[in-house]
Amino acid sequence: MRYLVELLVSDLLIYGEKDNSKIVYFLILLLSICSIWFCFSNDLYDLLIEGGVNSSSNFLPLILIALFRTLCAYLAFHSLFFWMILDKKGGFMYAHFYEKRESLPHKIWGLNRLVPFSSWNVLIFSLTFILLSIISWMEVLKLNPPEFIHIIATILFSISLAMTTLTATIVTYLIIPTAIKKRETYDYLFEKHQMVMHNWVLIFIIADVIITTPSLAWEFAVFGIMIGIVYSIFANFYAVYGGGFYVYHFIDSRLKFAPIIMTLLGLMIALFYIFVWIGLKILDWNYFIGSLIFIVWVYSIVLFKPKLFDKKSLQ
């Protein structure tokens, strides 16, 4: 992973002689068409109806699962609304400015704090667990949840699995080591709302996976690609017409290797969902081994203290 960091910093994140935005936009359009075609050709609607999220467990009563999901939803909502949007201190980041083409320290307030992908990560998680809570409480009350809630919850759950695992991995193995290499401060990444973004949402959603063992299809990986497309469009629109900066340097569509980077990012989101899906298959085969794999995986990508990295480890 250390060599990936160095490659991204030194070789890929450079500007060429021409702006590659048009090529990136074409790739986004092409990937969007392919994703829609994939959904219809693989009858994803039937897969969503037949499988999806689950509220039952072999060792926990339904009411405890409902309480757990409700608390998860509230934590995410509280983090977004009270610790971020309403926080008068604002949030610190190294933003990559569109006009200057350089990364500089920057403060953001209010709704602008929802611009980062990690904020979207918490937002999707919050919406997911709100719907899961509704489903669980309806089942506690012996009511049948509407089919559309089950479908939307499954789609969001699949997206959230991909986003939480990818976000934690990027923060731990890319963003923090890059900040260290550039001698930039990264203490802000360990504030309480950041802990929710990069660690707790991942821990809680994987806990839900282990507890309820949802029936997810590998085809749901396409939803991860779709959220990647939506965020790429939003990030570029925001940089050009909104805040004037990218939260992440590597998402700048003008970079020399932007077409390659954007394609890899879309595929990475889908790939991380596939990793979770493989874990679920192992969980179905052997619950103990599958649970252990998930626990070890989560432990290896969450980071609550910066002590795991030092400058020598990145040389």
Side-chain angles (χ1 to χ4, degrees), residues 6-264:
E6 294 176 353
L7 177 64
L8 286 172
V9 172
S10 61
D11 294 335
L12 292 184
L13 303 184
I14 59 175
Y15 292 98
E17 296 179 358
K18 62 178 182 178
D19 185 339
N20 282 318
S21 295
K22 291 183 179 179
I23 299 176
V24 170
Y25 298 153
F26 173 76
L27 284 174
I28 289 175
L29 176 61
L30 181 62
L31 197 56
S32 300
I33 294 172
C34 290
S35 298
I36 294 171
W37 170 82
F38 182 88
C39 290
F40 285 102
S41 63
N42 287 277
D43 297 322
L44 256 62
Y45 180 80
D46 292 336
L47 292 175
L48 290 166
I49 294 296
E50 294 170 1
V53 293
N54 183 26
S55 293
S56 62
S57 172
N58 292 328
F59 55 91
L60 281 182
L62 182 56
I63 191 168
L64 286 183
I65 295 174
L67 286 170
F68 167 73
R69 287 175 165 178
T70 303
L71 290 173
C72 287
Y74 177 76
L75 174 64
F77 172 80
H78 187 94
S79 178
L80 287 170
F81 195 71
F82 293 101
W83 293 346
M84 295 174 63
I85 296 175
L86 296 182
D87 180 22
K88 295 181 180 179
K89 296 180 181 179
F92 175 83
M93 66 167 62
Y94 280 93
H96 189 76
F97 285 86
Y98 182 80
E99 294 293 341
K100 296 180 179 180
R101 296 192 175 189
E102 61 178 327
S103 297
L104 299 170
H106 187 57
K107 272 261 189 179
I108 54 175
W109 289 268
L111 291 175
N112 286 321
R113 299 193 68 178
L114 299 183
V115 172
F117 185 80
S118 53
S119 297
W120 283 41
N121 179 33
V122 182
L123 180 60
I124 295 294
F125 176 91
S126 178
L127 294 174
T128 301
F129 275 80
I130 287 173
L131 293 180
L132 290 177
S133 299
I134 292 172
I135 292 172
S136 297
W137 284 114
M138 289 187 73
E139 293 187 4
V140 168
L141 298 173
K142 307 298 182 182
L143 300 174
N144 293 322
E147 190 175 85
F148 76 92
I149 292 182
H150 176 85
I151 292 174
I152 296 173
T154 299
I155 292 173
L156 291 177
F157 192 80
S158 301
I159 292 172
S160 190
L161 283 171
M163 292 180 72
T164 52
T165 50
L166 177 62
T167 299
T169 302
I170 287 180
V171 170
T172 300
Y173 291 105
L174 177 58
I175 293 179
I176 291 176
T178 300
I180 294 172
K181 189 177 181 67
K182 290 184 175 181
R183 300 178 184 274
E184 297 175 345
T185 180
Y186 56 92
D187 292 340
Y188 67 96
L189 291 171
F190 295 92
E191 295 175 358
K192 57 185 178 182
H193 67 280
Q194 297 278 5
M195 292 293 94
V196 175
M197 286 181 178
H198 310 143
N199 296 325
W200 288 116
V201 292
L202 169 64
I203 292 171
F204 291 145
I205 198 168
I206 293 300
D208 194 275
V209 166
I210 294 174
I211 292 169
T212 65
T213 58
S215 179
L216 303 179
W218 70 266
E219 289 91 344
F220 296 168
V222 72
F223 299 133
I225 295 177
M226 287 179 169
I227 196 65
I229 291 170
V230 173
Y231 184 78
S232 296
I233 294 172
F234 165 79
N236 280 279
F237 185 88
Y238 182 84
V240 178
Y241 302 106
F245 64 88
Y246 295 96
V247 177
Y248 313 102
H249 184 184
F250 53 78
I251 209 167
D252 189 341
S253 60
R254 301 169 298 171
L255 291 170
K256 182 178 181 180
F257 298 102
I260 297 175
I261 295 172
M262 291 297 182
T263 302
L264 289 175

